[in-house]
Structures are given as structure tokens and as C-alpha cells.
């Protein structure tokens, strides 16, 4: 009988050890709506490699690109319900549920700088109790901030001199940026970003919102004749998030590895975007696209107009955030302080990857 008991105990111990080994390693399914190309996908791939390294191989990322598992509009629900473990969450698709992170949508101060804006959002979403709770209510934990770079304006045949000349122009924009310009007097034409080329080429629109690094791959340089540099916020509050149940099942060391990898992602994606943005600016200024494109830099008057037409949408965010039971004024004030903090750090020390 003792021999049988000992054998049984040994078998249990071996099975227990096997189960422990099996649960020590985990593959996290990450859904991303865009194809596997560009700054964001490069940064996400680096993030996956960094997480594997920091967790000693215990955590690996299996990426599902281009809506292969979930389309953009379904990613939030999919991550919240654990159809996927992780994903890129865009506040514009789920404005009520992702109201907190939607602060990243707002055209405030230096938020258009990819590093300053993402760093400020990252710290806000990891230190502000209301912001953490707002995501936790949706069964989401923030991992890292993702930026788009600042919004600019490109035109064809519009002969604009500044923001004031957008009144009466047919304009393609997105989110609060199109709403604000509509309030100002522009005629908004609802099109996707990918439809901007044909719309400008055919005269369906006079001007369009643009991210400078997209001018080359989308071949906008073939048709536009003006670019107005306004550095007006960013297009969307975007984050990498993880299902909270999955997050809570991780060990302490795995959660710490994920935290550090998310911090890495925030800086790495900003680095890639800023490199592409600076290259696009240099190409425009040097006339490197092979045809003339006039570059107009925003004046103090332009900045004053943009600040004025943005106020309503900042107030709307505060109202909607407060309606969910949160201290919106405190979160907004902290975000402003963080934008100033990281802008000063950039000005004094440069970007982290240049130090």
C-alpha cells in the first residue's frame, strides 16, 4: 500500500510540475486593424520582442494584422470579452466606453508632438485613478500609448494663406477636427483617408487633413500644391490595451515585464513616427517630390483661431467624462501639466533616442 501511495504521490507531483510549466508560458493574441507595415506595426513588433525578452520567454505576442481576426470597429468588444487578449483600441470607435483615453483626441498644447503627446497620455493613464478605473470598468488595462503625429492640411487649387481661408472650402477631415472646422465655416465632405487622393484630384474637396509622413506612400505629392503646417493635435486617442482578466492572471513578474514593454512601446512608436515626420517635412521644404508644393507655416493668428474653435470640444470631453462620475477637471489639469513636463524635457534634453 505504501508503494502505491508513493507512486500516486509521485505521479501527482509530476502532473503538477507539468501544469506549472504549461502555465508559465503564455501566447497573447494581439489584434491590430492596420496591415503589417509602417511605424506602428514596426513598433508593435519591437514591443512583442521586448516583452518576450523581459519575461524570459514566458510571454509572447501573436499578432493578427489588418483586421484578420477583428475589424477596427470590433476590436474593443473583442478585447473586453477576450475574443483577443490584447489589441489597439481607438477612442473614436467607442467614444463612450473609451471616454477617458479620448482626452488624447483633444487639440491641446504640445499633444501633436508624437513623443510629448504619447508620454503625457501614458503617464496619465497609469497614474490617474479615474483614468485607470474608466478602462477597468470596460475590463481593459492600459499597456502603451500610440500616436499618429500632428494634423496638418493639404490642398489643391485652393490658394489658401492660412486657416481663415478654409472658410467656405470643401474639406475632408476626421473627428473633432472636422467638426471644429465645420463650425468655423468649412464645408465638410465625409470620406475615408484613402479616398482623399481622388477627391482632391477631381475637385470633390479643396483641402484635406493630412499626416505628413503619409504624403509619400499615398502619393499625395502628385496632386497637391499646398501644405499648411498647423500641428493641430492628433487624429485619435489610441492605446494598446489588454483584457483585465488576462492581465490579472499574470504573475507579478509577468505584469512588470508587460509594464516595462508598454513603456518601451510608447517611446519606440513615437521615435519611428518622428523620424518619418521629420523626413517628410524636410522633403517638402527641399522640394524633393519633383513638383512644387508650397509649404505655409501657421501664424499666431492661425493658432489663435484653432485654439478658439477647439474649446467647445474640450468642454464636451469634460462634460462627458464628468457624467461618468469622474473628476474631469482634475484629469484635464494633470494632462496639461504632463504635456508641459514632457515638452520641457524634450527641449532641455532632446528625445530619449537622441541622448
Amino acid at each position: 500500500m505504501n508503494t502505491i501511495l508513493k507512486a500516486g504521490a509521485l505521479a501527482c507531483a509530476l502532473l503538477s510540475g507539468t501544469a506549472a510549466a504549461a502555465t508559465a508560458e503564455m501566447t497573447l493574441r494581439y489584434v491590430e486593424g492596420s496591415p503589417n507595415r509602417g511605424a506602428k506595426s514596426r513598433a508593435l513588433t519591437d514591443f512583442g520582442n521586448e516583452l518576450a525578452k523581459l519575461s524570459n520567454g514566458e510571454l509572447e505576442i501573436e499578432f493578427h494584422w489588418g483586421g484578420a481576426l477583428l475589424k477596427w470597429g470590433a476590436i474593443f468588444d473583442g478585447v473586453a470579452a477576450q475574443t483577443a487578449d490584447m489589441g489597439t483600441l481607438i477612442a473614436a470607435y467607442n467614444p463612450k466606453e473609451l471616454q477617458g483615453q479620448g482626452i488624447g483626441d483633444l487639440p491641446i498644447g504640445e499633444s501633436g508632438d508624437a513623443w510629448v503627446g504619447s508620454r503625457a497620455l501614458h503617464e496619465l493613464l497609469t497614474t490617474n485613478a479615474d483614468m485607470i478605473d474608466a478602462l477597468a470598468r470596460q475590463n481593459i488595462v492600459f499597456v502603451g500609448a500610440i500616436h499618429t503625429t500632428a494634423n496638418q492640411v493639404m490642398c489643391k487649387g485652393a490658394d489658401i494663406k492660412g486657416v481663415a481661408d478654409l472658410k467656405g472650402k470643401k474639406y475632408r477631415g476626421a473627428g473633432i477636427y472636422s467638426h471644429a472646422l465645420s463650425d468655423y465655416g468649412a464645408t465638410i465632405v465625409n470620406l475615408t483617408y484613402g479616398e482623399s487622393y481622388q477627391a482632391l484630384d477631381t475637385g470633390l474637396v479643396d483641402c484635406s487633413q493630412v499626416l505628413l509622413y503619409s504624403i509619400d506612400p499615398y502619393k499625395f505629392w502628385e496632386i497637391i500644391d499646398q501644405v499648411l503646417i498647423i500641428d493641430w493635435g492628433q487624429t485619435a486617442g489610441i492605446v494598446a490595451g489588454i483584457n483585465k482578466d488576462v492581465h490579472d492572471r499574470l504573475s507579478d513578474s509577468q505584469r512588470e515585464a508587460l509594464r516595462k514593454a508598454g513603456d518601451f512601446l510608447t517611446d519606440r512608436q513615437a521615435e519611428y513616427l518622428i523620424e518619418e515626420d521629420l523626413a517628410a517635412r524636410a522633403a517638402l521644404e527641399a522640394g524633393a517630390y519633383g513638383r512644387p508644393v508650397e509649404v505655409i507655416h501657421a501664424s499666431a493668428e492661425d493658432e489663435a483661431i484653432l485654439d478658439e474653435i477647439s474649446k467647445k470640444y474640450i468642454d464636451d470631453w469634460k462634460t462627458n467624462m464628468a457624467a461618468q462620475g469622474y473628476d474631469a477637471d482634475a484629469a484635464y489639469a494633470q494632462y496639461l501639466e504632463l504635456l508641459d513636463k514632457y515638452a520641457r524635457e524634450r527641449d532641455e534634453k532632446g528625445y530619449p533616442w537622441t541622448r
Side-chain angles (χ1 to χ4, degrees), residues 226-249:
Q226 289 183 306
V227 170
L228 173 62
I229 306 292
I230 53 177
D231 292 331
W232 193 25
Q234 61 154 320
T235 302
I238 309 174
V239 308
I242 184 170
N243 175 276
K244 188 175 185 299
D245 297 326
V246 173
H247 178 269
D248 292 348
R249 286 199 298 268

Side-chain angles (χ1 to χ4, degrees), residues 232-275:
W232 193 25
Q234 61 154 320
T235 302
I238 309 174
V239 308
I242 184 170
N243 175 276
K244 188 175 185 299
D245 297 326
V246 173
H247 178 269
D248 292 348
R249 286 199 298 268
L250 300 178
S251 68
D252 289 344
S253 63
Q254 288 172 336
R255 282 195 291 270
E256 178 63 10
L258 183 64
R259 185 195 66 78
K260 289 181 177 178
D263 190 70
F264 169 88
L265 169 63
T266 298
D267 281 349
R268 179 55 61 91
Q269 204 257 346
E271 176 184 356
Y272 286 157
L273 275 184
I274 287 170
E275 287 176 353

Side-chain angles (χ1 to χ4, degrees), residues 193-216:
Y193 197 63
E195 293 171 321
S196 299
Y197 182 106
Q198 185 175 7
L200 286 162
D201 192 33
T202 60
L204 180 61
V205 299
D206 303 302
C207 300
S208 173
Q209 190 171 315
V210 67
L211 305 171
L212 294 184
Y213 66 83
S214 70
I215 288 177
D216 188 25

Side-chain angles (χ1 to χ4, degrees), residues 2-14:
N2 287 341
T3 302
I4 294 173
L5 289 173
K6 286 178 181 178
L10 177 60
C12 288
L14 289 171

